[in-house]
Each structure stands twice: as C-alpha cells, then as structure tokens.
Amino acid sequence: MIGIAESNSGVMEKTIEKFNTKQIEFLLASFSDLNGTLRAKLVPANRLASVCESGAGFAGFAVGSLGHGPSDPDILCIPDLRSMTVLPWQNNIAWFAGTLTEDGSAWSYCPRTILLNVMEKAKKLGYEMYTGVEPEFFLLKEDERGNISISDDKDVCAKPCYQQQALMRNIDFLSTLINYMNELGWSVTQADHEDANGQFEINFDFADVLSSADRHSFFKYMVRSMAEERNLVATFMPKPFSHLTGNGCHMHLSLWGGGTNLFENPFDQKGNGLSQLGYYFIGGLLRHAKAISAIVCPTVNSYKRITATATSSGATWAPNDIAYGGNNRTKLIRIPDSGRIEFRAMDGACNPYLAAAVILAAGLDGIEKEIDPENPSGGMTSSSNNNDYKLPTTLKEAITALEEDEVIISALGESFMNTYIIRKKEEWAEYHDYISQWEIDKYLKGN
C-alpha cells in the first residue's frame, strides 16, 4: 500500500527484533469498520513479513459497508508496523492497526485511510494535527435475565463526580488499566469517577492525530476486554441511562508546524492564548458543525445525550449550541488553555478515525476560507441562542445536514460518504419502525 508499505520497509527489521525480544507468537492484523468496530485476523509471528507485503484477506461484504458485494475479491489489510501494540494482558500477541487495499492502492472505504488522506492535505499546507481524547465509559453488570445495572451497588450518590469512595472501590480495575496504558507508553495523567454513577474517565498524553486514533481504538478494545475478564460489561454508549450523564469523548487539539504549536499566541487580545489560525479553525468547525455531528455523534442514541435537558446530577455536560467560548464547558468549542481547543460534541460511539478526519477537514476549511468564528454563517455569534444554530436533535437531522455539506463529503470521499449516509438512513428507519415499551405503556390502553 502506498505510504504504509514505505513506512513498513523502514521499520521491518526493528519490528522483527522486537518480536524476538518480547517473544511475540502472534499478531492481530486489525482494521476499523464503518462503525469503529475492530475486525482482525490472528497471524503467526513468522508470517509478519508476508502479511505486510500481501495483506491479510477479508471478505469485505462480510463485515459490511466496505463497498463490496459477496462476489467481490478479498479486501486486504496491511498492518502499519508503526502502530505495534503488545497486549499487556496477553503479551505474546501484538496488535497492529491496518489500512485496507484491494489492488495495491488505498481503499476509499477504509476509515484509517480516510484520516490519512485528510492528514496528507494538512501536511501539504504545512500543518500536523495533534490530539488528546478523553474517553468516558460505564462499568456495568448483567444478571441472568439480561438486565443491566451499575456494577458497583454502592455507587448511588446523586452527584457522584470525583467521589473518592466510589473511585477507590474500583481501584483494581482502574489501577490495572492505568498500568497497562503506561506500559504502552501512553503516559496517563489522571483518572476519575465521572458525573454518572458507574462512569469513569482516563486522561493520557496527546500525540499526533493518527497515533491518537490508533490508541483510542485500542483503548476501547482494552477496556472491554478487561471488563469481560471480570464478568462485567464496559460500554461507551452515548446515553445508556436516561437519568444519568452520557458518555462523551472530548477531543483536545492543536495544529503544529516545524515543531511549533501554531495555535498558541500569548498576545491574543481576546485573552484565550489562541492564534488567528486557531480562530479560523474554530470557524470551520462551527460552520460545518451540523454535518460533523453525523460523524462524531453517529447513532440514534447519540442525540439523547446532546439534547438531554437534565440528569440526576443536575447537568448533562453535553453541548447543544453551535458556539465557542473560553473555559466554558457548555459550549461546543471550549478553549481550556492557551494553544489548544476542545471539541465537546464527540461521543463514545464515534469511529476514532472518521471523527478525527472530519474535525481536521472542517478546521482546514475554516483556515482556507478565513472563517470568522464570531460570524461563521452570516449572523451567528459565539453566544447565539438561535435555534438555527443548535446542534441536530436527531440522527436524521444530522444526516440531512451531512448530505448538504459538499466540503465534508469531498474531504472524506464521495463514494464512502454516500455509503455512510445510506447506512445511517437505514439505522434511523430501523429505529423509527421499532415500537418501544414506552410507546406501549403510554398509548396502547389510553388511545
């Protein structure tokens, strides 16, 4: 594969040396499907060179939404050796993020390739994006009847955020997870009990956007695997409980060039420590916010998080205004510190590669067009309460906005986006046609 093959040839010897040193017996040649689910083949370690050359074959139609029918040839996954991650809980296996090809060229339906394409555009303009994500998740348990509840029976506080007692009751899981992440070199900064009962967040160092997306993907797999080992369920579902705060996945980001943070400006007259380039990037995010939502909030359930009016703790911590502010957690874009911004709409269901790609693409458009974040769409201001400048309230509304956004469709690839839009319309129709228990309880006898 173009790019990946070249990078692999440069590190193949070192990777083989690591395999020998760490006594790696197997590798997972893995890729992300449209929904962010990891698909993989288990390959013996002595087949590393051949799988990097010819790829691990998959029936594309079997994993869905890869532009393939059942009669098409195999789609091939080429492991990116730079992404090597030894499973901390099973250290004879190494995981590799892969990119997809059919005939040696980049495959337009591969989420990781889509991110690489947007990164290449940024690189030609002299920019490299660095990101840090804050994934939130619930630890749950399931009884013999399939009922789901918070795994910690004592975690019942109305405002449980940062609750030390609840944090320490889960110290085995959290400390093991942190040790694993540090073993991988991710440099965890802190962990906390989040705003909902049974909810946690781990913060770790930022990295280049591709490495962060790879780590984000592996993080979700690792947390779920750890939970399964303990007969628990870990979920990143945006809104698993109607009365509790949902799972966000805030992304902190900045653009760099020549080793310099191009978002940083200590002389910013607005007092945010942000450069004009950074403000233009925000302008792009605001202009394309409705379309972006269809990617970063990709499920029916996502919109029950960002449109929630209240939770038992008193706040949803999810934005719904298309607006930015300083260190203000109610805004879509927060500026928590000089030289970086935080995008707060993204949720735990997002595909890490597509989410990063669409955010970068929108920001680059803001820079190219010098979009003023105070007035990105002919009237909106950073404190607007106009309903026209709210985030979408449903997946259907978000998909409609995406269909109308030529910039985003072009940036992520027209053929892929057409497939994505079709799949999401099908998801909405499936939801719409389902008769819920709430409807039965409310309407069956009363009407």
Side-chain angles (χ1 to χ4, degrees):
M1 169 169 284
I2 297 172
I4 299 302
E6 294 173 356
S7 67
N8 279 350
S9 65
V11 297
M12 178 62 74
E13 289 186 8
K14 291 183 179 179
T15 304
I16 293 174
E17 184 179 338
K18 287 180 182 178
F19 266 39
N20 294 332
T21 301
K22 296 179 178 293
Q23 298 182 318
I24 302 299
E25 297 180 86
F26 299 96
L27 64 101
L28 285 167
S30 175
F31 68 92
S32 168
D33 68 12
L34 180 148
N35 295 316
T37 301
L38 291 180
R39 311 282 185 155
K41 278 196 172 180
L42 187 67
V43 181
N46 63 0
R47 305 295 294 177
L48 173 66
S50 62
V51 79
C52 285
E53 180 179 350
S54 57
F58 295 80
F61 182 74
V63 299
S65 304
L66 286 175
H68 264 192
S71 62
D72 285 308
D74 277 1
I75 196 79
L76 302 172
C77 175
I78 310 293
D80 187 339
L81 297 185
R82 298 169 298 181
S83 69
M84 176 177 169
T85 306
V86 179
L87 274 59
W89 64 96
Q90 197 165 356
N91 55 25
N92 65 329
I93 299 177
W95 175 86
F96 292 92
T99 50
L100 299 178
T101 178
E102 184 183 62
D103 57 5
S105 58
W107 186 244
S108 61
Y109 292 85
C110 172
R112 195 171 189 266
T113 295
I114 290 169
L115 173 57
L116 285 166
N117 290 340
V118 182
M119 288 171 59
E120 183 62 23
K121 178 181 179 180
K123 182 179 179 181
K124 289 178 179 178
L125 296 171
Y127 308 132
E128 182 177 12
M129 188 162 84
Y130 280 76
T131 63
V133 294
E134 298 177 342
E136 297 171 346
F137 61 94
F138 282 85
L139 284 180
L140 309 173
K141 60 184 177 182
E142 184 176 9
D143 67 19
E144 62 278 1
R145 296 183 178 180
N147 298 312
I148 296 291
S149 60
I150 304 302
S151 63
D152 180 0
D153 292 331
K154 296 180 180 179
D155 192 349
V156 294
C157 288
K159 294 180 74 68
C161 200
Y162 312 126
Q163 222 268 354
Q164 181 170 297
Q165 205 75 26
L167 184 74
M168 294 305 293
R169 282 196 299 271
N170 291 273
I171 190 62
D172 173 68
F173 187 96
L174 295 173
S175 62
T176 301
L177 177 58
I178 291 169
N179 287 336
Y180 283 171
M181 294 169 72
N182 283 334
E183 182 180 327
L184 296 173
W186 295 5
S187 188
V188 172
T189 55
Q190 57 190 20
D192 65 71
H193 188 296
E194 271 297 317
D195 194 61
N197 306 111
Q199 186 184 45
F200 302 91
E201 178 182 288
I202 312 288
N203 302 141
F204 50 103
D205 269 358
F206 71 96
D208 66 273
V209 63
L210 183 64
S211 295
S212 281
D214 287 341
R215 291 175 180 180
H216 185 187
S217 292
F218 187 83
F219 176 84
K220 294 169 76 173
Y221 164 65
M222 179 163 57
V223 170
R224 288 178 177 134
S225 297
M226 287 180 57
E228 287 176 2
E229 285 183 346
R230 293 159 174 79
N231 294 316
L232 300 177
V233 176
T235 184
F236 297 86
M237 180 180 176
K239 187 74 170 172
F241 302 101
S242 60
H243 66 294
L244 298 178
T245 303
N247 283 322
C249 186
H250 309 139
M251 177 184 284
H252 295 254
L253 62 103
S254 54
L255 289 188
W256 290 64
T260 300
N261 183 350
L262 302 179
F263 274 13
E264 192 156 23
N265 176 19
F267 307 108
D268 177 11
Q269 294 184 355
K270 296 180 181 179
N272 294 316
L274 200 66
S275 68
Q276 185 61 62
L277 188 85
Y279 283 114
Y280 288 150
F281 196 100
I282 290 175
L285 292 176
L286 297 180
R287 175 170 292 184
H288 299 287
K290 288 181 180 288
I292 290 173
S293 297
I295 306 293
V296 301
C297 301
T299 71
V300 167
N301 182 258
S302 296
Y303 297 86
K304 297 186 177 183
R305 168 182 168 261
I306 62 175
T307 62
T309 55
T311 65
S312 60
S313 68
T316 68
W317 304 105
N320 51 43
D321 283 342
I322 301 175
Y324 84 98
N327 197 352
N328 184 340
R329 286 181 170 84
T330 68
K331 303 297 183 183
L332 173 64
I333 310 292
R334 172 178 168 240
I335 309 174
D337 200 359
S338 63
R340 64 185 166 104
I341 63 175
E342 179 188 27
F343 184 85
R344 293 184 57 80
M346 196 165 110
D347 69 38
C350 75
N351 181 309
Y353 301 104
L354 297 180
V358 76
I359 288 170
L360 177 55
L364 291 178
D365 188 59
I367 292 171
E368 180 182 349
K369 295 174 181 172
E370 298 186 351
I371 298 173
D372 180 4
E374 297 294 340
N375 189 16
S377 301
M380 183 172 71
T381 69
S382 61
S383 59
S384 174
N385 289 315
N386 189 321
N387 285 334
D388 289 340
Y389 300 108
K390 300 283 188 181
L391 289 174
T393 59
T394 65
L395 178 61
K396 180 181 180 181
E397 186 181 334
I399 289 298
T400 298
L402 180 59
E403 283 186 291
E404 297 171 351
D405 196 316
E406 295 179 0
V407 170
I408 297 302
I409 289 176
S410 175
L412 272 64
E414 187 172 346
S415 59
F416 171 79
M417 292 308 300
N418 286 341
T419 297
Y420 185 89
I421 288 168
I422 289 170
R423 294 293 176 265
K424 289 301 170 180
K425 284 183 175 180
E426 290 174 347
E427 184 176 335
W428 174 260
E430 182 182 348
Y431 166 72
H432 184 269
D433 292 343
Y434 174 73
I435 307 302
S436 68
Q437 188 60 46
W438 180 89
E439 292 170 280
I440 297 294
D441 294 341
K442 190 171 183 67
Y443 303 125
L444 189 143
K445 294 181 179 179
N447 292 325

